[in-house]
Amino acid sequence: MRLISLLLCVFAALTSFSQKSRNYLKAAVGTNATFMDCATAIGYGVSGAIRAEHKSNLGYGLKFDVNTLVGGSKSLNVQTSSSYYFSGIAIGAMPTLDYSIYLLTRKRLEITPRLGAGIAFISSNGGFKEPNQGISNFNNYGANYVQPQFNSKGQLVNATAESKGLYVSINPAISFGYEVKDKTKLYLEYGYFFMYSDEIDGLNLPTASNESNDVFLTIQIGISKHINSFISQRRF
């Protein structure tokens, strides 16, 4: 409830700010790449945002993201000593701050660096392609870190890992937009999600090599629509 209240407060502030600003709705689709406790793999995601830009080109916004995250020992032909693999979903919301730089005639080209910080809900499940590695991790660290898998005879044959919860994320990004027609822009965005946890991929072993926070990058193509006429006709 506190998170919902915070997002509503941010939206109210944006609405108030929007009366003197240029206002936009944004939507995008794209891919992501994970940098976690297994080899890099490619997932996909979508995002949406409401953004208000002041005459000084300083912008504020509220951004929502949904990303499927994957990783595995054979992904992208990356060689790794770990046989761990995982799949998960990340659903996030965050306020953002950005600054737009306009180029070309009629300011058709827009370059916008942006910084966001917020909360993401993550749910991930993983396992080990090499059973001996799963068994070894269970024997060394116990059920608090990996879950044992037994066969019908009660023999330990492998182990799995999972995580679920809310996590803090920082999202620096830069986008390049081009006005294709009046009040409509297409844009390409490149960004990173730095998660303040090593549990995003489900695996969080208490070892020195497993202390780094999880990270994934996103590359998206989207559309931005100028909606001042819509905002001016409504009172929130």
Side-chain angles (χ1 to χ4, degrees):
M1 291 301 295
R2 291 183 178 179
L3 176 60
I4 295 175
S5 298
L6 175 60
L7 293 178
L8 288 176
C9 289
V10 172
F11 181 76
L14 287 174
T15 301
S16 176
F17 181 74
S18 69
Q19 304 303 319
K20 299 180 180 180
S21 308
R22 298 184 295 272
N23 305 282
Y24 301 88
L25 284 178
K26 303 178 71 175
V29 298
T31 63
N32 61 64
T34 55
F35 301 95
M36 302 185 186
D37 295 318
C38 50
T40 296
I42 301 300
Y44 58 90
V46 297
S47 69
I50 181 172
R51 175 175 176 266
E53 182 181 315
H54 194 263
K55 292 181 179 180
S56 63
N57 294 350
L58 184 67
Y60 300 86
L62 187 59
K63 184 171 180 279
F64 301 91
D65 295 273
V66 179
N67 283 280
T68 62
L69 306 175
V70 293
S73 61
K74 295 182 180 180
S75 304
L76 295 184
N77 296 318
V78 177
Q79 300 298 317
T80 175
S81 60
S82 173
S83 70
Y84 185 71
Y85 64 91
F86 86 101
S87 63
I89 187 169
I91 303 173
M94 63 178 64
T96 61
L97 177 67
D98 63 64
Y99 184 81
S100 293
I101 302 169
Y102 292 96
L103 303 172
L104 303 182
T105 58
R106 297 181 56 211
K107 301 182 178 180
R108 297 180 70 91
L109 178 64
E110 177 184 4
I111 302 174
T112 307
R114 188 195 71 237
L115 181 63
I119 300 293
F121 171 77
I122 309 289
S123 179
S124 296
N125 294 277
F128 298 89
K129 294 179 180 178
E130 297 294 335
N132 288 338
Q133 193 169 61
I135 294 171
S136 176
N137 282 323
F138 174 72
N139 289 333
N140 290 332
Y141 306 112
N144 288 333
Y145 295 96
V146 294
Q147 291 73 53
Q149 301 295 301
F150 300 95
N151 63 16
S152 59
K153 298 180 180 180
Q155 298 171 322
L156 180 63
V157 294
N158 208 330
T160 60
E162 62 181 19
S163 65
K164 182 181 294 185
L166 294 174
Y167 302 92
V168 175
S169 66
I170 304 295
N171 176 215
I174 185 168
S175 67
F176 302 88
Y178 186 79
E179 187 177 59
V180 292
K181 67 176 184 178
D182 187 36
K183 298 184 179 180
T184 302
K185 291 182 180 180
L186 296 180
Y187 66 92
L188 174 68
E189 182 176 288
Y190 179 90
Y192 280 89
F193 284 82
F194 295 95
M195 310 302 297
Y196 275 75
S197 173
D198 189 47
E199 301 178 359
I200 307 307
D201 56 8
L203 191 64
N204 187 27
L205 299 178
T207 63
S209 61
N210 196 55
E211 293 180 348
S212 300
N213 291 331
D214 289 333
V215 178
F216 64 94
L217 69 82
T218 59
I219 300 175
Q220 294 189 326
I221 297 175
I223 186 170
S224 175
K225 182 68 175 178
H226 189 202
I227 57 168
N228 269 59
S229 58
F230 175 86
I231 293 289
S232 63
Q233 296 172 9
R234 286 156 175 79
R235 296 294 183 265
F236 294 90

